[in-house]
Amino acid sequence: MNRESLNQKRRVRWPWILLVIILLLAALAVAAELVTRAVLPGIARGIVIEQLALPADQQLDVEASGVLLPQVIGGRLDELHLSTDSVTIGGITGSADVTAIGVPLRGGDLTDASGTVRIDQEQFTHLVAASDLPVDEIRFSEPDITASGSFSIFGVPVPISATVTPAADAGELLLTPVGAQIGGATLNAAEIVDRFGKAAAWITEPQRICIADQLPAGLTMTGLKIDGPEAVIDIDVDGAIVTDPALQQNGVCS
């Protein structure tokens, strides 16, 4: 076989060799991506639990978006979705759903994060009971809540039931009156003030309740609504919460 024939055969083989190499590289890339997808959630879960000081057995579902291998090589995930059926944040226990943007895998702050926390009537009662309002029990009636308690007139306890619409405003819980019953009688605002004076004036006016001391300082409440048996709280998360211990501690009310 002459040299020209050998060269011709080599030229014929070369595209096939190149194709095989490309296919092998593609297969390796796919395999690496699959391995990354299988392993990464556990790694990310461990980082979140460690940096936020959550219990080691905390139930936490983790899902990352996009093609992961380049993100892992770069050391930062584009988007990470975290969800749990039950977690204690500050002094409040509920389910949580959070999306974090720009998640560092080798330490550092998040670029951004936000999500929702869902709590039941008992937990919501804890939020309100920590204020100065005479509230013993909360019942949900979408979109409102009914707060029951009592106040004292000349040393005599007077039962009260107030219906209010909850919302969030500037990080605080805002309760706007809708109606009230005092001692079993339904009264309007003027009648309440006329009969009971300042002792019951809070029932007729919007009430602002600071809950910063019941949530980590790195969380800010941005929205609140009643959805069936749950209160849905929208939160904004300071990206530095994963590195700054002060943001992981409960805030303060001025």
Side-chain angles (χ1 to χ4, degrees), residues 31-32 39 43 56 80 86 97 115 127 143 163 169 183 188-189 193 196 200-201 239 251:
V39 174
I43 296 174
L80 193 66
S86 180
D97 213 310
L127 281 178
T163 300
D169 184 57
N188 60 37
V193 174
F196 302 101

Side-chain angles (χ1 to χ4, degrees), residues 76-97:
R76 183 175 288 268
L77 302 180
D78 295 338
E79 183 177 295
L80 193 66
H81 183 72
L82 309 169
S83 62
T84 177
D85 293 333
S86 180
V87 64
T88 298
I89 303 175
I92 303 301
T93 299
S95 62
D97 213 310

Side-chain angles (χ1 to χ4, degrees), residues 62-217:
V62 180
E63 183 178 352
S65 301
V67 180
L68 299 185
L69 189 57
Q71 299 177 48
V72 171
I73 293 173
R76 183 175 288 268
L77 302 180
D78 295 338
E79 183 177 295
L80 193 66
H81 183 72
L82 309 169
S83 62
T84 177
D85 293 333
S86 180
V87 64
T88 298
I89 303 175
I92 303 301
T93 299
S95 62
D97 213 310
V98 177
T99 298
I101 306 297
V103 181
L105 296 176
R106 303 184 185 95
D109 298 344
L110 305 172
T111 300
D112 189 26
S114 60
T116 59
V117 175
R118 290 176 173 265
I119 61 175
D120 60 19
Q121 295 177 158
E122 181 181 359
Q123 294 297 313
F124 195 91
T125 300
H126 291 331
L127 281 178
V128 177
S131 70
D132 293 331
L133 301 182
V135 175
D136 300 322
E137 182 184 13
I138 294 289
R139 297 193 311 277
F140 292 163
S141 180
E142 185 181 347
D144 302 321
I145 65 174
T146 299
S148 301
S150 63
F151 62 94
S152 181
I153 296 290
F154 304 116
V156 178
V158 178
I160 181 173
S161 178
T163 300
V164 298
T165 302
D169 184 57
E172 294 185 326
L173 176 61
L174 179 65
L175 303 178
T176 302
V178 175
Q181 286 190 330
I182 298 181
T186 300
L187 304 175
N188 60 37
E191 291 171 331
I192 292 172
V193 174
D194 183 59
R195 292 191 189 187
F196 302 101
K198 293 182 178 180
W202 65 271
I203 306 168
T204 66
E205 303 170 353
Q207 299 294 312
R208 302 180 69 91
I209 301 174
C210 175
I211 63 171
D213 58 346
Q214 300 182 66
L215 295 174

Side-chain angles (χ1 to χ4, degrees), residues 1-13:
M1 185 179 293
N2 58 38
R3 181 175 298 177
E4 184 177 346
S5 298
L6 287 173
N7 289 338
Q8 186 176 3
K9 285 189 176 182
R10 287 170 182 163
R11 285 195 296 269
V12 171
R13 289 175 183 169

